[in-house]
Amino acid sequence: MLKVNHLYVSFVKEYFTLNDISLSLGNNQKLVIVGNKESGRTAFLRSLLGLENIAKGEILYKNTSVEKINFKDDISLGYIPAHPSFLERKTVKQNIEYVLKIRKENIKFLEVKINNALNEYGLNYIKNKKVKDLSYFDRLKLSLARLCVRNLDMIYVDDIFVTLSSLERSKMIKYIKELIKNNCCSAIIMTEDENVASEFGYQKKYLIYGSLMDNKEENN
């Protein structure tokens, strides 16, 4: 599914934000990467999505370079950034509807998919509320609702857990795990919290100053 070979990404001359990262993730494999704000975690996810220029190395999906991948036809990726973007002045329902319309989904099933997504994440009672008025937790649930109407091969989640209460955090972890299970897809989740990593229960690695390691101690 995913192969990363000796990846280097640099935003400043002579300094690598990501330093010689190699990673292999098969179909339906899940990974939690633990790293703080300075670790390069967001840069790594954006690189996997083809949103950053690669200085050296390569990222392959099904043996095809990320630069040549057609994200509409070749592979379906879902991404939940720490600060999701929406049509802020549109309603919750309209934001989900938009995702389906731009993908030219069958109109016959449009309403069914939207209602299922609203019910799945407890958003039905605020379906007519404008996104700009939502709490952060509800915005995250809307992110998941937009993804659940698609068939996904891979899900990427940035560290969305930092400001959530313990109850919200547990609910969000449960939602994400269910979404992954329902799609039988691969996933990479970023967090700076060891407790979050443990609650997911997936394979774990550490991103420390741009280097990916199996254990924290490797950096010492």
Side-chain angles (χ1 to χ4, degrees):
M1 168 63 73
L2 169 68
K3 287 186 179 179
V4 180
N5 297 320
H6 303 292
L7 176 68
Y8 291 81
V9 171
S10 177
F11 302 125
V12 180
K13 190 176 180 180
E14 297 180 355
Y15 173 77
F16 290 110
T17 301
L18 300 176
N19 183 34
D20 196 19
I21 290 180
S22 292
L23 174 68
S24 181
L25 206 66
N27 292 332
N28 202 26
Q29 279 193 302
K30 283 84 67 176
L31 175 66
V32 177
I33 297 178
V34 181
N36 61 27
K37 289 181 180 179
E38 290 75 36
S39 65
R41 65 192 185 206
T42 301
F44 185 35
L45 288 184
R46 285 178 56 83
S47 298
L48 295 177
L49 292 160
L51 299 175
E52 300 293 356
N53 292 323
I54 297 171
K56 291 190 285 185
E58 61 180 358
I59 298 171
L60 304 173
Y61 288 101
K62 301 176 181 178
N63 295 319
T64 301
S65 171
V66 67
E67 289 130 348
K68 297 179 180 179
I69 279 282
N70 182 327
F71 287 106
K72 182 179 178 182
D73 299 320
D74 297 336
I75 190 168
S76 180
L77 303 183
Y79 177 42
I80 305 178
H83 301 287
S85 296
F86 301 99
L87 302 172
E88 294 287 336
R89 296 191 174 276
K90 298 293 185 180
T91 66
V92 167
K93 183 177 179 180
Q94 287 171 330
N95 270 266
I96 301 172
E97 186 177 52
Y98 177 76
V99 171
L100 292 168
K101 283 185 174 179
I102 63 172
R103 287 175 170 78
K104 298 180 180 179
E105 289 281 343
N106 191 322
I107 298 297
K108 181 179 179 181
F109 299 108
L110 199 70
E111 200 66 25
V112 173
K113 284 191 172 185
I114 292 170
N115 287 331
N116 287 343
L118 291 168
N119 290 326
E120 179 75 20
Y121 298 104
L123 294 169
N124 207 38
Y125 78 104
I126 56 169
K127 66 182 180 181
N128 295 318
K129 193 172 184 177
K130 290 184 178 180
V131 173
K132 68 182 182 67
D133 298 321
L134 295 184
S135 68
Y136 182 62
F137 184 55
D138 283 336
R139 290 171 74 90
L140 292 179
K141 290 197 292 182
L142 178 55
S143 290
L144 290 170
R146 291 192 304 185
L147 292 182
C148 84
V149 298
R150 298 165 49 198
N151 294 319
L152 299 169
D153 298 309
M154 174 78 79
I155 296 174
Y156 295 124
V157 183
D158 206 344
D159 193 353
I160 60 175
F161 311 99
V162 178
T163 62
L164 299 180
S165 69
S166 57
L167 179 59
E168 289 172 339
R169 186 183 69 187
S170 292
K171 285 184 177 179
M172 189 53 56
I173 291 170
K174 180 182 177 183
Y175 286 144
I176 293 169
K177 291 181 74 171
E178 287 176 349
L179 182 63
I180 293 168
K181 181 180 179 181
N182 291 341
N183 281 274
C184 296
C185 64
S186 305
I188 294 178
I189 295 106
M190 296 288 186
T191 181
E192 65 178 30
D193 192 330
E194 289 273 6
N195 292 325
V196 170
S198 297
E199 201 164 340
F200 271 105
Y202 300 150
Q203 178 189 0
K204 181 168 58 176
K205 288 183 180 290
Y206 293 87
L207 190 60
I208 302 174
Y209 296 120
S211 296
L212 193 62
M213 306 171 181
D214 290 329
N215 301 290
K216 279 183 178 180
E217 290 74 18
E218 291 181 34
N219 193 52
N220 295 335

